[in-house]
Amino acid sequence: MSESKYTIGNIDISTVKSKRPIRKGTLYNLVTGFMSLMKGMKITAYYFFHTKEVVTEQYPENRETLKISERFRAELKLKKDDRGFLNCTGCNICAQNCPNGSIEVIAMKGETNKKEIDRYIWHMDSCTFCNICVQVCPYDAIEMKPNFESSALDRRLYIYQLNKYAGPTKKNLDKLEDPADMQRLVNLIKREPYKGPIPLGMQQGEEHNFNHPEPVKKIVVKKETAKDVVKKDV
Amino acid sequence: MNANWSLSNLTERINMSSVFVEQLMWVAVGLIGVVTFISLLALVLVYAERKICAHIQCRLGPMRVGWHGILQTLADGIKLFLKEDIIPDEADRLLYFLAPFFCLVATLLSLLVIPLSPQVQIIDVNIGVIYLGAVSGFGILGVIMAGWGSNNKWSALGAMRAGAQMVSYEISTTLSLLVIVLFVGSLQLSEIVLSQQEGWWIWRAHGVGVLAFILLLISSVAELNRTPFDLAEGESELTAGFHTEYSGVRFSFFFLAEFINMFILAAMMSTFFLGGWMPFHIGQLTAFNAAMDLIPPAIWFIGKTSVMIFVFMWIRWTFPRLRVDQLMKLEWQVLMPLGFVNLFLAAIVVLTNFYFFA
Ligand code: SF4
Ligand code: SF4
């Protein structure tokens, strides 16, 4: 199908032309049409007689042996390396791009005097699992995982804080020379899981605001760099 | 049993009242039998359809109610009977009420003449083929009544399409049945079965028979309103066609009629082309033939019909749907001319005695 007049060096860059629809006689079309129908019948017969091709899972019964695709999108997670450090810089791009406003990123200026993530909050109840947040993240910091057993009876339980550890990004931590310093720094600002406000007045008397209980600025340490802090404490 | 019904002696029969009452009793018993039969049949067919389509699509189908979901259709039936029966405000109530019964009665009437085995045939009419053609037209009436009575544009469109389609495809159905009528020389269904003692018409009438069989296969799929010819119900464009507005028991009547119709057409195909309840015989192999005779005729009939039903379902879940104009073109420009040519050739074959085992 290709014509070799479009080349760059040895590479043939001519596009493959799609087959033009065959306009032949009625009889020819009748025969070819019949043959292609038979081909379809063959394929469906194959699937009918080969029960191993069945993809349905009998879920609650085969919970132990359940096969679920790696690409199934059910749970948003922050990527961690083996030391438990995060890639997320708190840049807020994922939150801005989420069509449903399901992500809240609360950032702060941290020990390394760089922007770092304080809390990463994901509202699963309004998430459509569209994967946009994962695709737009410039630091490759989040991913979708196939763990789908997340049902709960209360909508408030669908608000996740994804980071238990908050602190400097992996990139900044890697700049520190002494691994012991690094661990110190991580321990220094360990925070508890999310206990923040609940949206849309699910319970009476609770106001709907996303203001963080602790104002972000309070934790900000000015002028001192991470290394200084570490030295002082030693 | 052998009710020799024909117009000429009908008047005589009415005078001979005792005989007439006897006939009437026989028909009543037959009807009760048929109603039981179709209820069971529908359960089996719906289950089969769901399982077959599931496996064709790499699914499992119903698995929860009973062993491998075997009681699923029963549960669905109970659900349908308990459901609310909704009647649209603006519906033409008479037509709306009568339509499902027309559809069901049409299928019941066709079932009466099908020879299930040499013993089981409720009425053996001597004009069986014409009777079948006439009675299946009755079902079209039910469909059109349903579409018109619902007072819904989708239903009306679906009914018009169904009417046009069924009427058109009736022609090629009849043309292919006439081929066999030419060979047999009789319109009586039991005669047609008996004539296949030496060989089934599909190969006994060689080329002509095969072509007629294929024509009948295509046109019966079309008459059943199943994919690739399901324009009348086209779920994506007409929501459900003529039975959009129906719910509960009335809907289940349409459902029942559809599945029984499938059985009837499969039974017709096996009666006309595959020897009905006749066992499979090969020429002079007496031992083989005797072994085949051991299998009861009813089993033969059910086996052949099941194969045809499987083919219908297989076609339904494989092929894409046609457009309305393509549908009409297929019938009037391809199938009908082919049918006529085939009938003409069949006539030549019959006249020259050029068929097997003559
Ligand atoms: S997850 Fe990615 S996009 Fe979202 S705040 Fe963190 S680094 Fe930015
Ligand atoms: S998957 Fe889509 S909806 Fe869900 S948090 Fe990400 S961007 Fe928002």
Side-chain angles (χ1 to χ4, degrees), chain A residues 78 87-95 105 120 133 136-139 141-142:
Chain A
L78 284 166
N87 270 344
C88 178
T89 60
C91 69
N92 214 26
I93 288 177
C94 53
V105 182
Y120 192 102
C133 48
V136 296
C137 176
Y139 301 99
I142 39 179

Side-chain angles (χ1 to χ4, degrees), chain B residues 135-158:
Chain B
V135 156
S136 59
F138 206 51
I140 307 175
L141 189 60
V143 166
I144 293 179
M145 275 164 65
W148 187 257
S150 305
N151 201 357
N152 170 329
K153 56 188 167 185
W154 309 124
S155 303
L157 266 175

Side-chain angles (χ1 to χ4, degrees), chain A residues 1-40:
Chain A
M1 279 283 128
S2 60
E3 294 160 16
S4 54
K5 54 181 172 179
Y6 303 104
T7 51
I8 298 177
N10 290 330
I11 308 159
D12 180 9
I13 58 153
S14 53
T15 47
V16 179
K17 277 184 191 160
S18 58
K19 266 189 184 173
R20 298 175 68 184
I22 302 161
R23 301 230 179 274
K24 295 200 177 162
T26 316
L27 201 62
Y28 178 88
N29 286 345
L30 209 65
V31 172
T32 48
F34 186 73
M35 295 310 278
S36 76
L37 285 180
M38 286 300 118
K39 214 185 265 177

